[in-house]
PDB file of all heavy atoms in Angstrom:
ATOM      1  N   GLN A   1       2.056  -4.394   7.380  1.00 84.00           N
ATOM      2  CA  GLN A   1       1.155  -5.545   7.287  1.00 84.00           C
ATOM      3  C   GLN A   1      -0.145  -5.147   6.581  1.00 84.00           C
ATOM      4  O   GLN A   1      -0.649  -5.873   5.729  1.00 84.00           O
ATOM      5  CB  GLN A   1       0.855  -6.110   8.672  1.00 84.00           C
ATOM      6  CG  GLN A   1      -0.054  -7.320   8.637  1.00 84.00           C
ATOM      7  CD  GLN A   1      -0.352  -7.862  10.034  1.00 84.00           C
ATOM      8  OE1 GLN A   1       0.129  -7.356  11.030  1.00 84.00           O
ATOM      9  NE2 GLN A   1      -1.153  -8.894  10.079  1.00 84.00           N
ATOM     10  N   LEU A   2      -0.684  -3.994   6.941  1.00 89.00           N
ATOM     11  CA  LEU A   2      -1.913  -3.523   6.288  1.00 89.00           C
ATOM     12  C   LEU A   2      -1.694  -3.301   4.792  1.00 89.00           C
ATOM     13  O   LEU A   2      -2.547  -3.655   3.979  1.00 89.00           O
ATOM     14  CB  LEU A   2      -2.402  -2.229   6.948  1.00 89.00           C
ATOM     15  CG  LEU A   2      -2.881  -2.334   8.386  1.00 89.00           C
ATOM     16  CD1 LEU A   2      -3.214  -0.952   8.931  1.00 89.00           C
ATOM     17  CD2 LEU A   2      -4.086  -3.258   8.495  1.00 89.00           C
ATOM     18  N   LEU A   3      -0.532  -2.723   4.445  1.00 91.00           N
ATOM     19  CA  LEU A   3      -0.245  -2.486   3.030  1.00 91.00           C
ATOM     20  C   LEU A   3      -0.071  -3.797   2.270  1.00 91.00           C
ATOM     21  O   LEU A   3      -0.556  -3.942   1.147  1.00 91.00           O
ATOM     22  CB  LEU A   3       1.011  -1.616   2.882  1.00 91.00           C
ATOM     23  CG  LEU A   3       0.844  -0.156   3.269  1.00 91.00           C
ATOM     24  CD1 LEU A   3       2.191   0.551   3.309  1.00 91.00           C
ATOM     25  CD2 LEU A   3      -0.113   0.556   2.326  1.00 91.00           C
ATOM     26  N   ARG A   4       0.614  -4.787   2.880  1.00 89.00           N
ATOM     27  CA  ARG A   4       0.776  -6.086   2.221  1.00 89.00           C
ATOM     28  C   ARG A   4      -0.566  -6.779   2.018  1.00 89.00           C
ATOM     29  O   ARG A   4      -0.806  -7.402   0.984  1.00 89.00           O
ATOM     30  CB  ARG A   4       1.756  -6.967   3.001  1.00 89.00           C
ATOM     31  CG  ARG A   4       3.217  -6.589   2.761  1.00 89.00           C
ATOM     32  CD  ARG A   4       4.167  -7.551   3.434  1.00 89.00           C
ATOM     33  NE  ARG A   4       4.099  -7.475   4.882  1.00 89.00           N
ATOM     34  CZ  ARG A   4       4.679  -6.542   5.626  1.00 89.00           C
ATOM     35  NH1 ARG A   4       5.389  -5.593   5.049  1.00 89.00           N
ATOM     36  NH2 ARG A   4       4.576  -6.552   6.933  1.00 89.00           N
ATOM     37  N   GLN A   5      -1.470  -6.660   3.003  1.00 92.00           N
ATOM     38  CA  GLN A   5      -2.803  -7.244   2.849  1.00 92.00           C
ATOM     39  C   GLN A   5      -3.559  -6.589   1.702  1.00 92.00           C
ATOM     40  O   GLN A   5      -4.191  -7.258   0.890  1.00 92.00           O
ATOM     41  CB  GLN A   5      -3.598  -7.116   4.152  1.00 92.00           C
ATOM     42  CG  GLN A   5      -3.131  -8.037   5.240  1.00 92.00           C
ATOM     43  CD  GLN A   5      -3.839  -7.764   6.574  1.00 92.00           C
ATOM     44  OE1 GLN A   5      -4.564  -6.794   6.737  1.00 92.00           O
ATOM     45  NE2 GLN A   5      -3.590  -8.636   7.543  1.00 92.00           N
ATOM     46  N   GLU A   6      -3.480  -5.269   1.636  1.00 94.00           N
ATOM     47  CA  GLU A   6      -4.158  -4.541   0.555  1.00 94.00           C
ATOM     48  C   GLU A   6      -3.534  -4.892  -0.796  1.00 94.00           C
ATOM     49  O   GLU A   6      -4.240  -5.037  -1.791  1.00 94.00           O
ATOM     50  CB  GLU A   6      -4.083  -3.033   0.802  1.00 94.00           C
ATOM     51  CG  GLU A   6      -4.856  -2.199  -0.193  1.00 94.00           C
ATOM     52  CD  GLU A   6      -6.368  -2.429  -0.138  1.00 94.00           C
ATOM     53  OE1 GLU A   6      -6.903  -2.775   0.932  1.00 94.00           O
ATOM     54  OE2 GLU A   6      -7.017  -2.259  -1.181  1.00 94.00           O
ATOM     55  N   ALA A   7      -2.199  -5.074  -0.826  1.00 93.00           N
ATOM     56  CA  ALA A   7      -1.504  -5.401  -2.072  1.00 93.00           C
ATOM     57  C   ALA A   7      -1.919  -6.759  -2.622  1.00 93.00           C
ATOM     58  O   ALA A   7      -1.808  -7.011  -3.821  1.00 93.00           O
ATOM     59  CB  ALA A   7       0.010  -5.357  -1.854  1.00 93.00           C
ATOM     60  N   GLN A   8      -2.408  -7.655  -1.772  1.00 93.00           N
ATOM     61  CA  GLN A   8      -2.838  -8.973  -2.213  1.00 93.00           C
ATOM     62  C   GLN A   8      -4.252  -8.965  -2.803  1.00 93.00           C
ATOM     63  O   GLN A   8      -4.654  -9.933  -3.441  1.00 93.00           O
ATOM     64  CB  GLN A   8      -2.776  -9.966  -1.054  1.00 93.00           C
ATOM     65  CG  GLN A   8      -1.355 -10.276  -0.633  1.00 93.00           C
ATOM     66  CD  GLN A   8      -1.295 -11.197   0.565  1.00 93.00           C
ATOM     67  OE1 GLN A   8      -2.307 -11.503   1.189  1.00 93.00           O
ATOM     68  NE2 GLN A   8      -0.101 -11.631   0.903  1.00 93.00           N
ATOM     69  N   ARG A   9      -4.982  -7.883  -2.571  1.00 93.00           N
ATOM     70  CA  ARG A   9      -6.345  -7.790  -3.109  1.00 93.00           C
ATOM     71  C   ARG A   9      -6.270  -7.471  -4.594  1.00 93.00           C
ATOM     72  O   ARG A   9      -5.365  -6.801  -5.056  1.00 93.00           O
ATOM     73  CB  ARG A   9      -7.121  -6.719  -2.364  1.00 93.00           C
ATOM     74  CG  ARG A   9      -7.240  -7.051  -0.873  1.00 93.00           C
ATOM     75  CD  ARG A   9      -7.975  -6.010  -0.111  1.00 93.00           C
ATOM     76  NE  ARG A   9      -9.375  -6.006  -0.536  1.00 93.00           N
ATOM     77  CZ  ARG A   9     -10.199  -4.997  -0.337  1.00 93.00           C
ATOM     78  NH1 ARG A   9      -9.786  -3.916   0.286  1.00 93.00           N
ATOM     79  NH2 ARG A   9     -11.451  -5.062  -0.734  1.00 93.00           N
ATOM     80  N   SER A  10      -7.217  -7.944  -5.346  1.00 90.00           N
ATOM     81  CA  SER A  10      -7.203  -7.700  -6.793  1.00 90.00           C
ATOM     82  C   SER A  10      -8.015  -6.450  -7.143  1.00 90.00           C
ATOM     83  O   SER A  10      -8.839  -6.457  -8.046  1.00 90.00           O
ATOM     84  CB  SER A  10      -7.725  -8.927  -7.543  1.00 90.00           C
ATOM     85  OG  SER A  10      -9.007  -9.275  -7.082  1.00 90.00           O
ATOM     86  N   THR A  11      -7.740  -5.383  -6.404  1.00 95.00           N
ATOM     87  CA  THR A  11      -8.368  -4.100  -6.686  1.00 95.00           C
ATOM     88  C   THR A  11      -7.327  -3.211  -7.372  1.00 95.00           C
ATOM     89  O   THR A  11      -6.127  -3.507  -7.363  1.00 95.00           O
ATOM     90  CB  THR A  11      -8.824  -3.409  -5.388  1.00 95.00           C
ATOM     91  OG1 THR A  11      -7.670  -3.144  -4.579  1.00 95.00           O
ATOM     92  CG2 THR A  11      -9.814  -4.275  -4.613  1.00 95.00           C
ATOM     93  N   GLN A  12      -7.776  -2.113  -7.943  1.00 95.00           N
ATOM     94  CA  GLN A  12      -6.844  -1.185  -8.583  1.00 95.00           C
ATOM     95  C   GLN A  12      -5.848  -0.659  -7.547  1.00 95.00           C
ATOM     96  O   GLN A  12      -4.646  -0.605  -7.809  1.00 95.00           O
ATOM     97  CB  GLN A  12      -7.614  -0.036  -9.226  1.00 95.00           C
ATOM     98  CG  GLN A  12      -6.712   0.942  -9.949  1.00 95.00           C
ATOM     99  CD  GLN A  12      -7.490   2.061 -10.629  1.00 95.00           C
ATOM    100  OE1 GLN A  12      -8.704   2.093 -10.615  1.00 95.00           O
ATOM    101  NE2 GLN A  12      -6.769   2.986 -11.228  1.00 95.00           N
ATOM    102  N   ARG A  13      -6.344  -0.296  -6.361  1.00 94.00           N
ATOM    103  CA  ARG A  13      -5.459   0.209  -5.307  1.00 94.00           C
ATOM    104  C   ARG A  13      -4.483  -0.883  -4.860  1.00 94.00           C
ATOM    105  O   ARG A  13      -3.304  -0.623  -4.662  1.00 94.00           O
ATOM    106  CB  ARG A  13      -6.280   0.715  -4.120  1.00 94.00           C
ATOM    107  CG  ARG A  13      -5.416   1.279  -3.009  1.00 94.00           C
ATOM    108  CD  ARG A  13      -6.208   1.950  -1.935  1.00 94.00           C
ATOM    109  NE  ARG A  13      -7.205   1.037  -1.381  1.00 94.00           N
ATOM    110  CZ  ARG A  13      -8.029   1.342  -0.412  1.00 94.00           C
ATOM    111  NH1 ARG A  13      -8.018   2.550   0.103  1.00 94.00           N
ATOM    112  NH2 ARG A  13      -8.901   0.476   0.052  1.00 94.00           N
ATOM    113  N   GLY A  14      -4.978  -2.122  -4.712  1.00 94.00           N
ATOM    114  CA  GLY A  14      -4.123  -3.226  -4.299  1.00 94.00           C
ATOM    115  C   GLY A  14      -3.006  -3.485  -5.287  1.00 94.00           C
ATOM    116  O   GLY A  14      -1.848  -3.686  -4.904  1.00 94.00           O
ATOM    117  N   ARG A  15      -3.330  -3.478  -6.576  1.00 94.00           N
ATOM    118  CA  ARG A  15      -2.305  -3.693  -7.610  1.00 94.00           C
ATOM    119  C   ARG A  15      -1.292  -2.557  -7.622  1.00 94.00           C
ATOM    120  O   ARG A  15      -0.093  -2.795  -7.786  1.00 94.00           O
ATOM    121  CB  ARG A  15      -2.967  -3.847  -8.980  1.00 94.00           C
ATOM    122  CG  ARG A  15      -3.691  -5.195  -9.148  1.00 94.00           C
ATOM    123  CD  ARG A  15      -4.174  -5.407 -10.583  1.00 94.00           C
ATOM    124  NE  ARG A  15      -5.154  -4.417 -11.007  1.00 94.00           N
ATOM    125  CZ  ARG A  15      -6.463  -4.504 -10.795  1.00 94.00           C
ATOM    126  NH1 ARG A  15      -6.958  -5.536 -10.155  1.00 94.00           N
ATOM    127  NH2 ARG A  15      -7.281  -3.567 -11.220  1.00 94.00           N
ATOM    128  N   LYS A  16      -1.763  -1.333  -7.415  1.00 95.00           N
ATOM    129  CA  LYS A  16      -0.852  -0.183  -7.397  1.00 95.00           C
ATOM    130  C   LYS A  16       0.115  -0.287  -6.214  1.00 95.00           C
ATOM    131  O   LYS A  16       1.319  -0.090  -6.363  1.00 95.00           O
ATOM    132  CB  LYS A  16      -1.657   1.126  -7.316  1.00 95.00           C
ATOM    133  CG  LYS A  16      -0.804   2.358  -7.373  1.00 95.00           C
ATOM    134  CD  LYS A  16      -1.652   3.619  -7.407  1.00 95.00           C
ATOM    135  CE  LYS A  16      -0.772   4.844  -7.481  1.00 95.00           C
ATOM    136  NZ  LYS A  16      -1.542   6.077  -7.558  1.00 95.00           N
ATOM    137  N   ILE A  17      -0.417  -0.619  -5.039  1.00 93.00           N
ATOM    138  CA  ILE A  17       0.430  -0.789  -3.853  1.00 93.00           C
ATOM    139  C   ILE A  17       1.421  -1.924  -4.080  1.00 93.00           C
ATOM    140  O   ILE A  17       2.618  -1.797  -3.766  1.00 93.00           O
ATOM    141  CB  ILE A  17      -0.436  -1.044  -2.596  1.00 93.00           C
ATOM    142  CG1 ILE A  17      -1.188   0.239  -2.220  1.00 93.00           C
ATOM    143  CG2 ILE A  17       0.405  -1.540  -1.428  1.00 93.00           C
ATOM    144  CD1 ILE A  17      -2.238   0.049  -1.144  1.00 93.00           C
ATOM    145  N   HIS A  18       0.963  -3.036  -4.646  1.00 92.00           N
ATOM    146  CA  HIS A  18       1.825  -4.186  -4.937  1.00 92.00           C
ATOM    147  C   HIS A  18       2.993  -3.763  -5.830  1.00 92.00           C
ATOM    148  O   HIS A  18       4.156  -4.091  -5.551  1.00 92.00           O
ATOM    149  CB  HIS A  18       0.998  -5.294  -5.598  1.00 92.00           C
ATOM    150  CG  HIS A  18       1.795  -6.478  -6.020  1.00 92.00           C
ATOM    151  ND1 HIS A  18       2.221  -7.435  -5.125  1.00 92.00           N
ATOM    152  CD2 HIS A  18       2.254  -6.857  -7.232  1.00 92.00           C
ATOM    153  CE1 HIS A  18       2.898  -8.354  -5.774  1.00 92.00           C
ATOM    154  NE2 HIS A  18       2.932  -8.026  -7.050  1.00 92.00           N
ATOM    155  N   ASP A  19       2.701  -3.042  -6.904  1.00 93.00           N
ATOM    156  CA  ASP A  19       3.737  -2.604  -7.835  1.00 93.00           C
ATOM    157  C   ASP A  19       4.744  -1.671  -7.160  1.00 93.00           C
ATOM    158  O   ASP A  19       5.950  -1.806  -7.361  1.00 93.00           O
ATOM    159  CB  ASP A  19       3.116  -1.905  -9.046  1.00 93.00           C
ATOM    160  CG  ASP A  19       2.333  -2.858  -9.941  1.00 93.00           C
ATOM    161  OD1 ASP A  19       2.509  -4.093  -9.800  1.00 93.00           O
ATOM    162  OD2 ASP A  19       1.523  -2.371 -10.755  1.00 93.00           O
ATOM    163  N   ILE A  20       4.248  -0.741  -6.358  1.00 91.00           N
ATOM    164  CA  ILE A  20       5.127   0.196  -5.653  1.00 91.00           C
ATOM    165  C   ILE A  20       6.043  -0.565  -4.700  1.00 91.00           C
ATOM    166  O   ILE A  20       7.259  -0.327  -4.649  1.00 91.00           O
ATOM    167  CB  ILE A  20       4.297   1.255  -4.896  1.00 91.00           C
ATOM    168  CG1 ILE A  20       3.613   2.202  -5.880  1.00 91.00           C
ATOM    169  CG2 ILE A  20       5.178   2.041  -3.919  1.00 91.00           C
ATOM    170  CD1 ILE A  20       2.582   3.113  -5.238  1.00 91.00           C
ATOM    171  N   MET A  21       5.484  -1.506  -3.946  1.00 88.00           N
ATOM    172  CA  MET A  21       6.271  -2.252  -2.968  1.00 88.00           C
ATOM    173  C   MET A  21       7.321  -3.131  -3.637  1.00 88.00           C
ATOM    174  O   MET A  21       8.448  -3.238  -3.140  1.00 88.00           O
ATOM    175  CB  MET A  21       5.350  -3.090  -2.081  1.00 88.00           C
ATOM    176  CG  MET A  21       4.502  -2.235  -1.153  1.00 88.00           C
ATOM    177  SD  MET A  21       3.285  -3.168  -0.230  1.00 88.00           S
ATOM    178  CE  MET A  21       4.323  -3.932   1.005  1.00 88.00           C
ATOM    179  N   LEU A  22       7.000  -3.762  -4.760  1.00 86.00           N
ATOM    180  CA  LEU A  22       7.978  -4.608  -5.450  1.00 86.00           C
ATOM    181  C   LEU A  22       9.143  -3.799  -6.005  1.00 86.00           C
ATOM    182  O   LEU A  22      10.244  -4.314  -6.154  1.00 86.00           O
ATOM    183  CB  LEU A  22       7.312  -5.403  -6.572  1.00 86.00           C
ATOM    184  CG  LEU A  22       6.520  -6.625  -6.138  1.00 86.00           C
ATOM    185  CD1 LEU A  22       5.928  -7.345  -7.350  1.00 86.00           C
ATOM    186  CD2 LEU A  22       7.374  -7.580  -5.329  1.00 86.00           C
ATOM    187  N   GLN A  23       8.899  -2.522  -6.295  1.00 87.00           N
ATOM    188  CA  GLN A  23       9.968  -1.645  -6.772  1.00 87.00           C
ATOM    189  C   GLN A  23      10.834  -1.136  -5.624  1.00 87.00           C
ATOM    190  O   GLN A  23      11.844  -0.484  -5.852  1.00 87.00           O
ATOM    191  CB  GLN A  23       9.374  -0.449  -7.512  1.00 87.00           C
ATOM    192  CG  GLN A  23       8.683  -0.811  -8.807  1.00 87.00           C
ATOM    193  CD  GLN A  23       8.034   0.401  -9.420  1.00 87.00           C
ATOM    194  OE1 GLN A  23       8.686   1.423  -9.637  1.00 87.00           O
ATOM    195  NE2 GLN A  23       6.742   0.322  -9.683  1.00 87.00           N
ATOM    196  N   GLY A  24      10.398  -1.418  -4.380  1.00 80.00           N
ATOM    197  CA  GLY A  24      11.158  -0.953  -3.226  1.00 80.00           C
ATOM    198  C   GLY A  24      10.927   0.505  -2.902  1.00 80.00           C
ATOM    199  O   GLY A  24      11.727   1.124  -2.216  1.00 80.00           O
ATOM    200  N   LEU A  25       9.829   1.052  -3.381  1.00 82.00           N
ATOM    201  CA  LEU A  25       9.521   2.460  -3.126  1.00 82.00           C
ATOM    202  C   LEU A  25       8.575   2.582  -1.940  1.00 82.00           C
ATOM    203  O   LEU A  25       7.972   1.605  -1.504  1.00 82.00           O
ATOM    204  CB  LEU A  25       8.888   3.086  -4.376  1.00 82.00           C
ATOM    205  CG  LEU A  25       9.738   3.009  -5.644  1.00 82.00           C
ATOM    206  CD1 LEU A  25       8.964   3.529  -6.846  1.00 82.00           C
ATOM    207  CD2 LEU A  25      11.054   3.761  -5.470  1.00 82.00           C
ATOM    208  N   LEU A  26       8.455   3.797  -1.415  1.00 81.00           N
ATOM    209  CA  LEU A  26       7.548   4.046  -0.300  1.00 81.00           C
ATOM    210  C   LEU A  26       6.139   4.288  -0.825  1.00 81.00           C
ATOM    211  O   LEU A  26       5.948   5.028  -1.786  1.00 81.00           O
ATOM    212  CB  LEU A  26       8.005   5.270   0.504  1.00 81.00           C
ATOM    213  CG  LEU A  26       9.362   5.150   1.192  1.00 81.00           C
ATOM    214  CD1 LEU A  26       9.713   6.474   1.871  1.00 81.00           C
ATOM    215  CD2 LEU A  26       9.361   4.027   2.192  1.00 81.00           C
ATOM    216  N   VAL A  27       5.170   3.667  -0.176  1.00 87.00           N
ATOM    217  CA  VAL A  27       3.769   3.867  -0.556  1.00 87.00           C
ATOM    218  C   VAL A  27       3.304   5.179   0.066  1.00 87.00           C
ATOM    219  O   VAL A  27       3.434   5.369   1.275  1.00 87.00           O
ATOM    220  CB  VAL A  27       2.894   2.694  -0.059  1.00 87.00           C
ATOM    221  CG1 VAL A  27       1.434   2.926  -0.409  1.00 87.00           C
ATOM    222  CG2 VAL A  27       3.385   1.376  -0.646  1.00 87.00           C
ATOM    223  N   PRO A  28       2.797   6.127  -0.743  1.00 85.00           N
ATOM    224  CA  PRO A  28       2.337   7.410  -0.189  1.00 85.00           C
ATOM    225  C   PRO A  28       1.199   7.198   0.810  1.00 85.00           C
ATOM    226  O   PRO A  28       0.291   6.420   0.570  1.00 85.00           O
ATOM    227  CB  PRO A  28       1.837   8.181  -1.404  1.00 85.00           C
ATOM    228  CG  PRO A  28       2.323   7.447  -2.599  1.00 85.00           C
ATOM    229  CD  PRO A  28       2.594   6.035  -2.176  1.00 85.00           C
ATOM    230  N   MET A  29       1.273   7.886   1.928  1.00 75.00           N
ATOM    231  CA  MET A  29       0.261   7.759   2.976  1.00 75.00           C
ATOM    232  C   MET A  29      -0.181   9.141   3.426  1.00 75.00           C
ATOM    233  O   MET A  29       0.576  10.102   3.354  1.00 75.00           O
ATOM    234  CB  MET A  29       0.818   7.008   4.192  1.00 75.00           C
ATOM    235  CG  MET A  29       1.278   5.589   3.901  1.00 75.00           C
ATOM    236  SD  MET A  29       0.016   4.525   3.242  1.00 75.00           S
ATOM    237  CE  MET A  29      -1.181   4.549   4.523  1.00 75.00           C
ATOM    238  N   VAL A  30      -1.401   9.218   3.911  1.00 68.00           N
ATOM    239  CA  VAL A  30      -1.940  10.456   4.478  1.00 68.00           C
ATOM    240  C   VAL A  30      -2.474  10.122   5.861  1.00 68.00           C
ATOM    241  O   VAL A  30      -3.109   9.103   6.068  1.00 68.00           O
ATOM    242  CB  VAL A  30      -3.078  11.015   3.597  1.00 68.00           C
ATOM    243  CG1 VAL A  30      -3.679  12.252   4.220  1.00 68.00           C
ATOM    244  CG2 VAL A  30      -2.585  11.287   2.194  1.00 68.00           C
ATOM    245  N   GLY A  31      -2.194  10.970   6.826  1.00 74.00           N
ATOM    246  CA  GLY A  31      -2.670  10.729   8.180  1.00 74.00           C
ATOM    247  C   GLY A  31      -2.504  11.960   9.039  1.00 74.00           C
ATOM    248  O   GLY A  31      -2.093  13.011   8.564  1.00 74.00           O
ATOM    249  N   ARG A  32      -2.797  11.823  10.324  1.00 81.00           N
ATOM    250  CA  ARG A  32      -2.660  12.978  11.218  1.00 81.00           C
ATOM    251  C   ARG A  32      -1.224  13.077  11.713  1.00 81.00           C
ATOM    252  O   ARG A  32      -0.479  12.107  11.682  1.00 81.00           O
ATOM    253  CB  ARG A  32      -3.642  12.866  12.374  1.00 81.00           C
ATOM    254  CG  ARG A  32      -3.313  11.831  13.415  1.00 81.00           C
ATOM    255  CD  ARG A  32      -4.294  11.969  14.597  1.00 81.00           C
ATOM    256  NE  ARG A  32      -3.840  11.221  15.725  1.00 81.00           N
ATOM    257  CZ  ARG A  32      -2.981  11.664  16.643  1.00 81.00           C
ATOM    258  NH1 ARG A  32      -2.478  12.861  16.549  1.00 81.00           N
ATOM    259  NH2 ARG A  32      -2.621  10.902  17.659  1.00 81.00           N
ATOM    260  N   ALA A  33      -0.855  14.243  12.194  1.00 84.00           N
ATOM    261  CA  ALA A  33       0.498  14.475  12.698  1.00 84.00           C
ATOM    262  C   ALA A  33       0.727  13.681  13.985  1.00 84.00           C
ATOM    263  O   ALA A  33      -0.174  13.573  14.816  1.00 84.00           O
ATOM    264  CB  ALA A  33       0.698  15.967  12.963  1.00 84.00           C
ATOM    265  N   PRO A  34       1.920  13.116  14.145  1.00 87.00           N
ATOM    266  CA  PRO A  34       2.197  12.308  15.342  1.00 87.00           C
ATOM    267  C   PRO A  34       2.485  13.168  16.575  1.00 87.00           C
ATOM    268  O   PRO A  34       2.878  14.326  16.464  1.00 87.00           O
ATOM    269  CB  PRO A  34       3.450  11.527  14.942  1.00 87.00           C
ATOM    270  CG  PRO A  34       4.136  12.416  13.958  1.00 87.00           C
ATOM    271  CD  PRO A  34       3.031  13.123  13.212  1.00 87.00           C
ATOM    272  N   ASP A  35       2.280  12.560  17.744  1.00 91.00           N
ATOM    273  CA  ASP A  35       2.644  13.202  19.007  1.00 91.00           C
ATOM    274  C   ASP A  35       4.098  12.929  19.348  1.00 91.00           C
ATOM    275  O   ASP A  35       4.734  13.694  20.077  1.00 91.00           O
ATOM    276  CB  ASP A  35       1.756  12.674  20.147  1.00 91.00           C
ATOM    277  CG  ASP A  35       0.297  13.006  19.925  1.00 91.00           C
ATOM    278  OD1 ASP A  35       0.013  14.111  19.413  1.00 91.00           O
ATOM    279  OD2 ASP A  35      -0.560  12.165  20.246  1.00 91.00           O
TER     280      ASP A  35
END
């Protein structure tokens, strides 16, 4: 949901996420290790 919201924004990052998602690819993410 967060990625779809960002993809709707007309920012460079939003357009990049939108393009990646329409291709059916995974959007690269960075975060902490899960428990």
